Each structure stands twice: as structure tokens, then as C-alpha cells.
Amino acid sequence: MSSDKISMPVWNEKHLRAATDAAGVALWAWNVDTDAITMDERAYDLWDVPKSEKHITFEILSRNIHPADLERVRSAFAATRAIVGAYEIDFRILFDGDIRWISARGQGDDADIADRTMFGIFLDVTQRKQAEEANELLAGEMSHRVKNLLTIATALTQFTSRSAATKEDMAHELTNRLMALGRAQDLIRPTPGRKSEGALLGDLVSILLAPYDEREASVRIRVSVPKMKVGEMSSTTLALVLHELATNSAKYGSLSLASGTLDVSCNAHGDEVVVTWTERGGPPLKAPAMLNGFGSRLVQRSMAAQLGGSIAFDWSEEGLVVTLIMSKDRLAR
């Protein structure tokens, strides 16, 4: 084995600047006596501070910090000298009407002070934070779907047993319903690389409601919609919304009883498409105090963000009526 020592490169200022530029690192320095903050050009851009502003202080930067994070950042900033070792704090700033996530990192306990100045870096971690939020939303949605599927399977078993004459008939009917439920799940679980041209609105609604159409029940589910194409993107969103309504109906509404019925109708008015979901013959309903469950928030967010519309609930004595209003242009996408 060679005993020669490895020769380490010499990192001069040019090399370090090239490395920090490539990594998107912004530099800052803080004079612990005067509280003056010095930043490089990238930090000015990151904070959206005019380069003409030469006397930077925390109070100047705090104008851009998100109000919900301001006191937390102020306390952390004041405590940096008392921290032993490295520190890191992530917080939001407001940038041209949008929210940007910043990570401030440095060394505490006066360990690296030179000429009464502490040094550190800023990193734009917006994409990482957005990915974390998306993962949290996905995890919540998947947990919600799994719970719903277990509840639906129980409901399907119960009302299949009401109409089945033998255990063989029940097994056959239940299998068919669970397979139909699987087809409905495919509509709200897009597969990467799978191309779709959307679907007809009537077909979309029928596939989603097929698992709940109880055999030998007289006209249990009625679908009356015009021939209308639903685009690839909006079909997944609309399927998710309708699936959530069907799940709730199977739990608490008209689809939970053999006597219950469901009517789904649709009308187009100018630039709007209105779908009306009408439940009758179910158990007595009571309007919830707040629609703050995960499923409700998911439906409301989907209606507004993806379909450019809204959803309204009417808990009447006769049964629940849900009105979905969507943009015709968004629905066709």
C-alpha cells in the first residue's frame, strides 16, 4: 500500500463562488455588535430586497417573513449566539405574492466569529417543502381511502346479504360488486404512462355507482345526464368527488338502506355544468356543524382547484341534495 498522502486541492475564492453558485447557496454575515447583516447578490434576490438597500438588518428582512413564522424566526435569530454547534431553521417568506421556503444555517456559540461577525448561508428549499406537503397530503388521502374501502366493503356485504337466496348467490353477487368497486377505484387512481381520452359523463357516473346498485331493488339508482365528454384530467377529479359522495351515502345516507334511492341528473347552462345528487328514502339526516373532515376538504379543494367550481349541501327532511357546479371548459380538459 502506498504511503503517499493524498494531495487535497486548494479552494480559492473563485472555486468557492463557483461551488456556491452551482448549489444555489446564498451567503450572509451578521455583526454581533451592530446587528448589521451583509448579504451577497444571490441573497438579495432570494429575499426580494433591492440591491440599493445597503444597511440590512433583521427588521428589514422581517418585512418579507410570513406573519405566522415571524416571531419564531425572531426568537431563533436572537438565540443563535447561545446555541452550541450548528443550527438550522426553515421558514416562509412572501415573494411577489407567492410563498417561498428559506433555510438559514450557521454555527452558534461564537465558534466561528471573526472580527465580531458570524457567517452562514441561506438556501431556497421551496421545492423540498412542497414535495413534503404533497407527500403528507398523499399519505392522508391514502389513509382516508383505505378506511373508506373497508367501510364500503362492509356495507356491500350487508346489503348483498339482503337479496341473496343462498351463500353461493351472496358470494357471486359480492364478488361482482367488489370487482365493480375495483373498476371505480381505477378511475380515481391514475396510472403513470397510461393514456386516456377521458370518458362520457354518463358512463363515468354509472361505473362509479355500479357497486351500490342493489339487485331486486326497484329503481334504486337513476342516472339522467346528457351525452357529454369529460376530459382526462377532470374525469379523475370528478370520479374522486362522486366516489366520496357515494361512500358517504353508503355509510350514512340513502344507499345505507334497502329503501333508499339516488338520482343523479345534469344540466348545462352557458359556461357552467350543474350536476345534482339527490338522495331519498334514507335514514334521518342531520347537517354536520362543520365540513372539516379530510374527505370533505378533499372534495371542496378538488371542486375549486381542478374543476373551477363549487359544491353545496342541502340536508332537507326528505334527504340530502348535493349540487356540483363546474366550469364547462375545465370539465372538458
Side-chain angles (χ1 to χ4, degrees), residues 201-264:
L201 179 59
D203 292 343
L204 182 67
V205 176
S206 297
I207 290 173
L208 286 165
L209 297 180
Y212 310 95
D213 198 4
E214 192 167 352
R215 185 164 61 93
E216 296 181 1
S218 58
V219 199
R220 177 173 173 79
I221 298 176
R222 296 179 287 261
V223 177
S224 177
V225 300
K227 187 175 182 179
M228 181 182 301
K229 193 69 173 289
V230 181
E232 177 182 356
M233 293 176 60
S234 58
S235 63
T236 300
T237 302
L238 183 57
L240 186 150
V241 173
L242 294 175
H243 180 72
E244 185 68 26
L245 293 177
T247 299
N248 288 335
S249 182
K251 287 181 182 179
Y252 317 111
S254 64
L255 295 182
S256 67
L257 297 180
S259 59
T261 63
L262 170 63
D263 286 276
V264 181

Short mmCIF file of all heavy atoms in Angstrom, two decimals, residues 201-264:
data_model
loop_
_atom_site.label_atom_id
_atom_site.label_comp_id
_atom_site.label_asym_id
_atom_site.label_seq_id
_atom_site.Cartn_x
_atom_site.Cartn_y
_atom_site.Cartn_z
N LEU A 201 -69.76 11.39 -19.53
CA LEU A 201 -70.20 11.66 -18.16
C LEU A 201 -71.11 10.56 -17.64
O LEU A 201 -70.97 10.10 -16.50
CB LEU A 201 -70.91 13.02 -18.11
CG LEU A 201 -71.45 13.45 -16.74
CD1 LEU A 201 -70.33 13.52 -15.71
CD2 LEU A 201 -72.17 14.79 -16.85
N GLY A 202 -72.06 10.11 -18.46
CA GLY A 202 -72.99 9.06 -18.03
C GLY A 202 -72.27 7.76 -17.71
O GLY A 202 -72.61 7.08 -16.73
N ASP A 203 -71.27 7.39 -18.53
CA ASP A 203 -70.51 6.17 -18.27
C ASP A 203 -69.71 6.29 -16.97
O ASP A 203 -69.64 5.34 -16.18
CB ASP A 203 -69.55 5.89 -19.43
CG ASP A 203 -70.27 5.53 -20.72
OD1 ASP A 203 -71.47 5.18 -20.63
OD2 ASP A 203 -69.65 5.61 -21.79
N LEU A 204 -69.13 7.47 -16.75
CA LEU A 204 -68.34 7.70 -15.56
C LEU A 204 -69.20 7.52 -14.30
O LEU A 204 -68.81 6.81 -13.36
CB LEU A 204 -67.76 9.11 -15.60
CG LEU A 204 -66.85 9.55 -14.44
CD1 LEU A 204 -65.55 8.75 -14.45
CD2 LEU A 204 -66.55 11.04 -14.52
N VAL A 205 -70.37 8.13 -14.29
CA VAL A 205 -71.26 8.04 -13.14
C VAL A 205 -71.74 6.60 -12.94
O VAL A 205 -71.79 6.08 -11.82
CB VAL A 205 -72.45 9.00 -13.29
CG1 VAL A 205 -73.43 8.84 -12.13
CG2 VAL A 205 -71.98 10.45 -13.39
N SER A 206 -72.10 5.94 -14.03
CA SER A 206 -72.63 4.57 -13.93
C SER A 206 -71.60 3.60 -13.38
O SER A 206 -71.92 2.73 -12.54
CB SER A 206 -73.10 4.10 -15.31
OG SER A 206 -74.17 4.92 -15.77
N ILE A 207 -70.35 3.73 -13.83
CA ILE A 207 -69.29 2.84 -13.34
C ILE A 207 -69.05 3.04 -11.85
O ILE A 207 -68.89 2.09 -11.08
CB ILE A 207 -67.98 3.08 -14.13
CG1 ILE A 207 -68.14 2.58 -15.58
CG2 ILE A 207 -66.81 2.37 -13.46
CD1 ILE A 207 -66.97 2.92 -16.47
N LEU A 208 -69.06 4.31 -11.42
CA LEU A 208 -68.81 4.60 -10.02
C LEU A 208 -69.93 4.10 -9.10
O LEU A 208 -69.68 3.69 -7.96
CB LEU A 208 -68.64 6.12 -9.83
CG LEU A 208 -67.32 6.70 -10.34
CD1 LEU A 208 -67.41 8.21 -10.45
CD2 LEU A 208 -66.18 6.32 -9.40
N LEU A 209 -71.16 4.13 -9.59
CA LEU A 209 -72.30 3.76 -8.75
C LEU A 209 -72.71 2.29 -8.90
O LEU A 209 -73.55 1.82 -8.14
CB LEU A 209 -73.50 4.66 -9.08
CG LEU A 209 -73.30 6.15 -8.81
CD1 LEU A 209 -74.56 6.93 -9.17
CD2 LEU A 209 -72.91 6.40 -7.36
N ALA A 210 -72.11 1.58 -9.84
CA ALA A 210 -72.47 0.18 -10.08
C ALA A 210 -72.37 -0.69 -8.83
O ALA A 210 -73.24 -1.54 -8.59
CB ALA A 210 -71.62 -0.39 -11.21
N PRO A 211 -71.34 -0.54 -7.98
CA PRO A 211 -71.25 -1.42 -6.81
C PRO A 211 -72.42 -1.27 -5.83
O PRO A 211 -72.68 -2.17 -5.04
CB PRO A 211 -69.93 -0.99 -6.14
CG PRO A 211 -69.14 -0.31 -7.21
CD PRO A 211 -70.15 0.34 -8.08
N TYR A 212 -73.13 -0.15 -5.89
CA TYR A 212 -74.18 0.12 -4.91
C TYR A 212 -75.58 -0.18 -5.45
O TYR A 212 -76.57 0.03 -4.75
CB TYR A 212 -74.12 1.60 -4.49
CG TYR A 212 -72.74 2.05 -4.07
CD1 TYR A 212 -71.89 2.67 -4.99
CD2 TYR A 212 -72.27 1.82 -2.79
CE1 TYR A 212 -70.62 3.07 -4.62
CE2 TYR A 212 -71.00 2.22 -2.41
CZ TYR A 212 -70.18 2.83 -3.34
OH TYR A 212 -68.91 3.22 -2.98
N ASP A 213 -75.67 -0.65 -6.68
CA ASP A 213 -76.97 -0.89 -7.30
C ASP A 213 -77.49 -2.25 -6.84
O ASP A 213 -77.18 -3.28 -7.42
CB ASP A 213 -76.84 -0.85 -8.82
CG ASP A 213 -78.19 -0.66 -9.49
OD1 ASP A 213 -79.18 -0.48 -8.77
OD2 ASP A 213 -78.24 -0.67 -10.72
N GLU A 214 -78.29 -2.24 -5.79
CA GLU A 214 -78.72 -3.46 -5.14
C GLU A 214 -79.69 -4.27 -6.02
O GLU A 214 -80.67 -3.74 -6.54
CB GLU A 214 -79.40 -3.12 -3.81
CG GLU A 214 -79.63 -4.32 -2.92
CD GLU A 214 -79.99 -3.88 -1.51
OE1 GLU A 214 -79.92 -2.68 -1.22
OE2 GLU A 214 -80.36 -4.76 -0.72
N ARG A 215 -79.40 -5.56 -6.17
CA ARG A 215 -80.24 -6.42 -7.00
C ARG A 215 -81.63 -6.58 -6.39
O ARG A 215 -81.78 -6.68 -5.18
CB ARG A 215 -79.57 -7.81 -7.13
CG ARG A 215 -80.28 -8.75 -8.08
CD ARG A 215 -79.37 -9.92 -8.44
NE ARG A 215 -78.99 -10.70 -7.29
CZ ARG A 215 -79.63 -11.78 -6.85
NH1 ARG A 215 -80.73 -12.18 -7.49
NH2 ARG A 215 -79.21 -12.45 -5.81
N GLU A 216 -82.62 -6.55 -7.25
CA GLU A 216 -84.03 -6.70 -6.91
C GLU A 216 -84.61 -5.46 -6.21
O GLU A 216 -85.76 -5.46 -5.81
CB GLU A 216 -84.27 -7.94 -6.04
CG GLU A 216 -83.94 -9.24 -6.77
CD GLU A 216 -84.20 -10.46 -5.90
OE1 GLU A 216 -84.65 -10.28 -4.74
OE2 GLU A 216 -83.96 -11.58 -6.37
N ALA A 217 -83.81 -4.42 -6.02
CA ALA A 217 -84.35 -3.17 -5.51
C ALA A 217 -84.97 -2.42 -6.69
O ALA A 217 -84.41 -2.40 -7.78
CB ALA A 217 -83.26 -2.32 -4.87
N SER A 218 -86.13 -1.84 -6.51
CA SER A 218 -86.83 -1.19 -7.63
C SER A 218 -86.26 0.20 -7.88
O SER A 218 -86.37 1.11 -7.06
CB SER A 218 -88.33 -1.08 -7.30
OG SER A 218 -88.52 -0.35 -6.11
N VAL A 219 -85.62 0.33 -9.03
CA VAL A 219 -85.05 1.60 -9.49
C VAL A 219 -84.31 2.30 -8.34
O VAL A 219 -84.64 3.40 -7.94
CB VAL A 219 -86.16 2.54 -10.05
CG1 VAL A 219 -85.52 3.62 -10.92
CG2 VAL A 219 -87.18 1.78 -10.84
N ARG A 220 -83.31 1.64 -7.83
CA ARG A 220 -82.57 2.17 -6.67
C ARG A 220 -81.72 3.37 -7.07
O ARG A 220 -81.69 4.37 -6.36
CB ARG A 220 -81.69 1.05 -6.10
CG ARG A 220 -80.81 1.49 -4.93
CD ARG A 220 -80.13 0.26 -4.35
NE ARG A 220 -79.14 0.58 -3.34
CZ ARG A 220 -79.44 0.88 -2.07
NH1 ARG A 220 -80.69 0.95 -1.69
NH2 ARG A 220 -78.48 1.11 -1.21
N ILE A 221 -81.02 3.28 -8.19
CA ILE A 221 -80.14 4.36 -8.64
C ILE A 221 -80.55 4.78 -10.04
O ILE A 221 -80.62 3.94 -10.95
CB ILE A 221 -78.67 3.92 -8.62
CG1 ILE A 221 -78.24 3.58 -7.19
CG2 ILE A 221 -77.77 5.02 -9.19
CD1 ILE A 221 -76.82 3.05 -7.08
N ARG A 222 -80.82 6.05 -10.24
CA ARG A 222 -81.19 6.58 -11.55
C ARG A 222 -80.18 7.64 -11.97
O ARG A 222 -79.87 8.55 -11.20
CB ARG A 222 -82.60 7.18 -11.51
CG ARG A 222 -83.70 6.16 -11.22
CD ARG A 222 -85.06 6.83 -11.17
NE ARG A 222 -85.22 7.63 -9.94
CZ ARG A 222 -85.87 7.20 -8.87
NH1 ARG A 222 -86.43 5.99 -8.86
NH2 ARG A 222 -85.98 7.96 -7.79
N VAL A 223 -79.69 7.48 -13.19
CA VAL A 223 -78.71 8.42 -13.74
C VAL A 223 -79.30 9.03 -15.00
O VAL A 223 -79.63 8.32 -15.95
CB VAL A 223 -77.36 7.74 -14.05
CG1 VAL A 223 -76.39 8.74 -14.68
CG2 VAL A 223 -76.77 7.13 -12.79
N SER A 224 -79.45 10.34 -15.00
CA SER A 224 -80.01 11.03 -16.16
C SER A 224 -79.13 12.23 -16.50
O SER A 224 -79.27 13.31 -15.90
CB SER A 224 -81.44 11.51 -15.85
OG SER A 224 -81.97 12.24 -16.93
N VAL A 225 -78.19 12.02 -17.40
CA VAL A 225 -77.27 13.10 -17.78
C VAL A 225 -77.18 13.15 -19.30
O VAL A 225 -77.33 12.13 -19.97
CB VAL A 225 -75.86 12.87 -17.18
CG1 VAL A 225 -75.91 12.82 -15.66
CG2 VAL A 225 -75.24 11.59 -17.71
N PRO A 226 -76.93 14.32 -19.87
CA PRO A 226 -76.80 14.43 -21.31
C PRO A 226 -75.49 13.80 -21.79
O PRO A 226 -74.56 13.57 -20.99
CB PRO A 226 -76.80 15.95 -21.55
CG PRO A 226 -76.29 16.53 -20.27
CD PRO A 226 -76.79 15.63 -19.19
N LYS A 227 -75.40 13.52 -23.07
CA LYS A 227 -74.18 12.96 -23.63
C LYS A 227 -73.13 14.06 -23.64
O LYS A 227 -73.21 15.03 -24.41
CB LYS A 227 -74.43 12.45 -25.05
CG LYS A 227 -73.24 11.69 -25.64
CD LYS A 227 -73.56 11.09 -26.98
CE LYS A 227 -72.39 10.29 -27.53
NZ LYS A 227 -72.70 9.69 -28.85
N MET A 228 -72.16 13.91 -22.76
CA MET A 228 -71.17 14.97 -22.56
C MET A 228 -69.82 14.33 -22.29
O MET A 228 -69.69 13.41 -21.48
CB MET A 228 -71.59 15.86 -21.38
CG MET A 228 -70.65 17.01 -21.09
SD MET A 228 -71.23 17.95 -19.64
CE MET A 228 -72.87 18.45 -20.21
N LYS A 229 -68.79 14.81 -22.98
CA LYS A 229 -67.44 14.28 -22.81
C LYS A 229 -66.76 14.94 -21.62
O LYS A 229 -66.83 16.15 -21.43
CB LYS A 229 -66.63 14.54 -24.09
CG LYS A 229 -65.32 13.77 -24.18
CD LYS A 229 -65.56 12.29 -24.35
CE LYS A 229 -64.28 11.53 -24.61
NZ LYS A 229 -63.73 11.80 -25.95
N VAL A 230 -66.11 14.12 -20.81
CA VAL A 230 -65.33 14.60 -19.68
C VAL A 230 -63.87 14.32 -20.00
O VAL A 230 -63.51 13.19 -20.34
CB VAL A 230 -65.74 13.90 -18.36
CG1 VAL A 230 -64.92 14.45 -17.20
CG2 VAL A 230 -67.22 14.09 -18.10
N GLY A 231 -63.02 15.34 -19.92
CA GLY A 231 -61.62 15.19 -20.28
C GLY A 231 -60.85 14.29 -19.34
O GLY A 231 -61.31 13.92 -18.26
N GLU A 232 -59.61 13.95 -19.75
CA GLU A 232 -58.79 13.00 -18.98
C GLU A 232 -58.49 13.51 -17.58
O GLU A 232 -58.65 12.78 -16.59
CB GLU A 232 -57.47 12.77 -19.73
CG GLU A 232 -56.50 11.84 -18.99
CD GLU A 232 -55.19 11.68 -19.72
OE1 GLU A 232 -55.07 12.23 -20.83
OE2 GLU A 232 -54.30 11.03 -19.19
N MET A 233 -58.06 14.76 -17.45
CA MET A 233 -57.70 15.29 -16.14
C MET A 233 -58.91 15.45 -15.24
O MET A 233 -58.91 15.05 -14.08
CB MET A 233 -56.98 16.65 -16.31
CG MET A 233 -55.64 16.57 -16.99
SD MET A 233 -54.93 18.21 -17.26
CE MET A 233 -54.82 18.83 -15.59
N SER A 234 -59.98 16.01 -15.79
CA SER A 234 -61.16 16.28 -14.97
C SER A 234 -61.92 15.01 -14.63
O SER A 234 -62.61 14.95 -13.60
CB SER A 234 -62.09 17.27 -15.67
OG SER A 234 -62.48 16.79 -16.92
N SER A 235 -61.83 13.96 -15.46
CA SER A 235 -62.56 12.72 -15.16
C SER A 235 -62.05 12.09 -13.87
O SER A 235 -62.83 11.56 -13.06
CB SER A 235 -62.44 11.73 -16.33
OG SER A 235 -61.09 11.36 -16.53
N THR A 236 -60.73 12.15 -13.64
CA THR A 236 -60.17 11.61 -12.40
C THR A 236 -60.66 12.41 -11.19
O THR A 236 -61.06 11.84 -10.17
CB THR A 236 -58.63 11.65 -12.44
OG1 THR A 236 -58.18 10.85 -13.54
CG2 THR A 236 -58.04 11.11 -11.15
N THR A 237 -60.67 13.73 -11.33
CA THR A 237 -61.11 14.59 -10.23
C THR A 237 -62.59 14.39 -9.94
O THR A 237 -63.00 14.25 -8.79
CB THR A 237 -60.85 16.07 -10.56
OG1 THR A 237 -59.45 16.25 -10.82
CG2 THR A 237 -61.27 16.97 -9.42
N LEU A 238 -63.43 14.39 -10.99
CA LEU A 238 -64.86 14.21 -10.80
C LEU A 238 -65.17 12.83 -10.23
O LEU A 238 -66.06 12.68 -9.38
CB LEU A 238 -65.60 14.42 -12.12
CG LEU A 238 -67.13 14.35 -12.06
CD1 LEU A 238 -67.67 15.37 -11.07
CD2 LEU A 238 -67.73 14.57 -13.44
N ALA A 239 -64.42 11.82 -10.67
CA ALA A 239 -64.62 10.47 -10.14
C ALA A 239 -64.33 10.44 -8.64
O ALA A 239 -65.05 9.81 -7.86
CB ALA A 239 -63.72 9.48 -10.87
N LEU A 240 -63.28 11.14 -8.23
CA LEU A 240 -62.94 11.19 -6.80
C LEU A 240 -64.07 11.83 -6.00
O LEU A 240 -64.45 11.35 -4.94
CB LEU A 240 -61.64 11.98 -6.62
CG LEU A 240 -61.01 12.03 -5.23
CD1 LEU A 240 -59.50 12.15 -5.35
CD2 LEU A 240 -61.53 13.20 -4.42
N VAL A 241 -64.63 12.93 -6.52
CA VAL A 241 -65.71 13.63 -5.83
C VAL A 241 -66.95 12.75 -5.72
O VAL A 241 -67.54 12.60 -4.65
CB VAL A 241 -66.05 14.95 -6.57
CG1 VAL A 241 -67.30 15.60 -5.96
CG2 VAL A 241 -64.87 15.92 -6.51
N LEU A 242 -67.36 12.14 -6.84
CA LEU A 242 -68.55 11.29 -6.83
C LEU A 242 -68.35 10.05 -5.96
O LEU A 242 -69.27 9.59 -5.28
CB LEU A 242 -68.90 10.87 -8.26
CG LEU A 242 -69.34 12.01 -9.19
CD1 LEU A 242 -69.54 11.49 -10.61
CD2 LEU A 242 -70.61 12.69 -8.69
N HIS A 243 -67.13 9.52 -5.99
CA HIS A 243 -66.82 8.35 -5.15
C HIS A 243 -66.96 8.71 -3.67
O HIS A 243 -67.47 7.92 -2.88
CB HIS A 243 -65.40 7.88 -5.46
CG HIS A 243 -64.98 6.68 -4.66
ND1 HIS A 243 -65.48 5.42 -4.89
CD2 HIS A 243 -64.12 6.55 -3.63
CE1 HIS A 243 -64.94 4.57 -4.04
NE2 HIS A 243 -64.11 5.23 -3.27
N GLU A 244 -66.52 9.91 -3.30
CA GLU A 244 -66.64 10.35 -1.91
C GLU A 244 -68.11 10.49 -1.51
O GLU A 244 -68.52 10.08 -0.42
CB GLU A 244 -65.91 11.69 -1.73
CG GLU A 244 -65.87 12.19 -0.30
CD GLU A 244 -65.00 11.33 0.60
OE1 GLU A 244 -64.06 10.68 0.09
OE2 GLU A 244 -65.25 11.32 1.83
N LEU A 245 -68.94 11.03 -2.41
CA LEU A 245 -70.37 11.17 -2.13
C LEU A 245 -71.03 9.80 -2.00
O LEU A 245 -71.87 9.58 -1.11
CB LEU A 245 -71.05 11.97 -3.25
CG LEU A 245 -70.66 13.44 -3.38
CD1 LEU A 245 -71.37 14.07 -4.57
CD2 LEU A 245 -70.97 14.21 -2.10
N ALA A 246 -70.65 8.86 -2.88
CA ALA A 246 -71.24 7.51 -2.82
C ALA A 246 -70.83 6.81 -1.52
O ALA A 246 -71.64 6.11 -0.90
CB ALA A 246 -70.79 6.70 -4.03
N THR A 247 -69.57 6.99 -1.12
CA THR A 247 -69.10 6.38 0.12
C THR A 247 -69.89 6.88 1.32
O THR A 247 -70.33 6.11 2.18
CB THR A 247 -67.60 6.68 0.32
OG1 THR A 247 -66.86 6.14 -0.77
CG2 THR A 247 -67.10 6.08 1.62
N ASN A 248 -70.08 8.21 1.39
CA ASN A 248 -70.84 8.78 2.50
C ASN A 248 -72.29 8.33 2.48
O ASN A 248 -72.90 8.13 3.54
CB ASN A 248 -70.76 10.31 2.45
CG ASN A 248 -69.39 10.82 2.84
OD1 ASN A 248 -68.65 10.15 3.55
ND2 ASN A 248 -69.03 11.99 2.35
N SER A 249 -72.84 8.17 1.27
CA SER A 249 -74.23 7.71 1.16
C SER A 249 -74.36 6.27 1.65
O SER A 249 -75.34 5.90 2.30
CB SER A 249 -74.72 7.82 -0.28
OG SER A 249 -76.06 7.43 -0.39
N ALA A 250 -73.34 5.44 1.33
CA ALA A 250 -73.36 4.05 1.78
C ALA A 250 -73.18 3.95 3.30
O ALA A 250 -73.67 3.02 3.94
CB ALA A 250 -72.27 3.26 1.07
N LYS A 251 -72.48 4.92 3.88
CA LYS A 251 -72.28 4.93 5.33
C LYS A 251 -73.51 5.45 6.07
O LYS A 251 -73.99 4.84 7.02
CB LYS A 251 -71.09 5.83 5.68
CG LYS A 251 -69.72 5.31 5.34
CD LYS A 251 -68.70 6.34 5.81
CE LYS A 251 -67.28 5.94 5.48
NZ LYS A 251 -66.31 6.97 5.91
N TYR A 252 -74.01 6.63 5.60
CA TYR A 252 -75.00 7.35 6.39
C TYR A 252 -76.29 7.69 5.64
O TYR A 252 -77.28 8.02 6.27
CB TYR A 252 -74.42 8.69 6.89
CG TYR A 252 -73.01 8.60 7.40
CD1 TYR A 252 -71.96 9.21 6.71
CD2 TYR A 252 -72.71 7.93 8.58
CE1 TYR A 252 -70.66 9.15 7.19
CE2 TYR A 252 -71.42 7.86 9.07
CZ TYR A 252 -70.39 8.47 8.36
OH TYR A 252 -69.11 8.41 8.83
N GLY A 253 -76.26 7.65 4.31
CA GLY A 253 -77.37 8.17 3.53
C GLY A 253 -78.29 7.13 2.94
O GLY A 253 -78.44 6.01 3.46
N SER A 254 -78.88 7.46 1.81
CA SER A 254 -79.92 6.62 1.22
C SER A 254 -79.40 5.25 0.78
O SER A 254 -80.15 4.27 0.79
CB SER A 254 -80.55 7.34 0.02
OG SER A 254 -79.59 7.54 -1.00
N LEU A 255 -78.12 5.16 0.39
CA LEU A 255 -77.59 3.87 -0.05
C LEU A 255 -77.30 2.93 1.11
O LEU A 255 -76.93 1.77 0.90
CB LEU A 255 -76.32 4.08 -0.88
CG LEU A 255 -76.51 4.82 -2.20
CD1 LEU A 255 -75.18 4.91 -2.96
CD2 LEU A 255 -77.56 4.15 -3.08
N SER A 256 -77.50 3.39 2.34
CA SER A 256 -77.29 2.52 3.50
C SER A 256 -78.54 1.70 3.83
O SER A 256 -78.47 0.78 4.65
CB SER A 256 -76.89 3.36 4.72
OG SER A 256 -77.97 4.19 5.15
N LEU A 257 -79.69 2.03 3.20
CA LEU A 257 -80.93 1.30 3.44
C LEU A 257 -81.46 0.74 2.13
O LEU A 257 -81.27 1.33 1.06
CB LEU A 257 -81.99 2.23 4.04
CG LEU A 257 -81.69 2.83 5.43
CD1 LEU A 257 -82.84 3.72 5.86
CD2 LEU A 257 -81.43 1.73 6.45
N ALA A 258 -82.16 -0.41 2.23
CA ALA A 258 -82.73 -1.02 1.02
C ALA A 258 -83.79 -0.13 0.39
O ALA A 258 -84.02 -0.18 -0.82
CB ALA A 258 -83.33 -2.39 1.37
N SER A 259 -84.43 0.70 1.19
CA SER A 259 -85.49 1.57 0.68
C SER A 259 -84.96 2.85 0.05
O SER A 259 -85.71 3.62 -0.55
CB SER A 259 -86.45 1.94 1.81
OG SER A 259 -85.74 2.61 2.86
N GLY A 260 -83.66 3.09 0.19
CA GLY A 260 -83.10 4.35 -0.27
C GLY A 260 -82.91 4.39 -1.78
O GLY A 260 -82.67 3.39 -2.44
N THR A 261 -83.03 5.59 -2.35
CA THR A 261 -82.81 5.79 -3.78
C THR A 261 -81.85 6.96 -3.99
O THR A 261 -81.66 7.80 -3.11
CB THR A 261 -84.12 6.10 -4.52
OG1 THR A 261 -84.67 7.33 -4.03
CG2 THR A 261 -85.12 4.97 -4.35
N LEU A 262 -81.27 6.97 -5.18
CA LEU A 262 -80.34 8.04 -5.55
C LEU A 262 -80.61 8.45 -6.99
O LEU A 262 -80.68 7.60 -7.88
CB LEU A 262 -78.89 7.56 -5.40
CG LEU A 262 -77.81 8.47 -5.98
CD1 LEU A 262 -77.79 9.81 -5.25
CD2 LEU A 262 -76.44 7.79 -5.91
N ASP A 263 -80.77 9.74 -7.20
CA ASP A 263 -80.94 10.30 -8.54
C ASP A 263 -79.77 11.24 -8.84
O ASP A 263 -79.47 12.14 -8.03
CB ASP A 263 -82.25 11.08 -8.66
CG ASP A 263 -83.46 10.17 -8.71
OD1 ASP A 263 -83.77 9.69 -9.81
OD2 ASP A 263 -84.06 9.93 -7.64
N VAL A 264 -79.14 11.03 -9.98
CA VAL A 264 -78.06 11.92 -10.42
C VAL A 264 -78.47 12.51 -11.76
O VAL A 264 -78.68 11.79 -12.73
CB VAL A 264 -76.72 11.16 -10.56
CG1 VAL A 264 -75.61 12.13 -11.00
CG2 VAL A 264 -76.33 10.49 -9.24
#
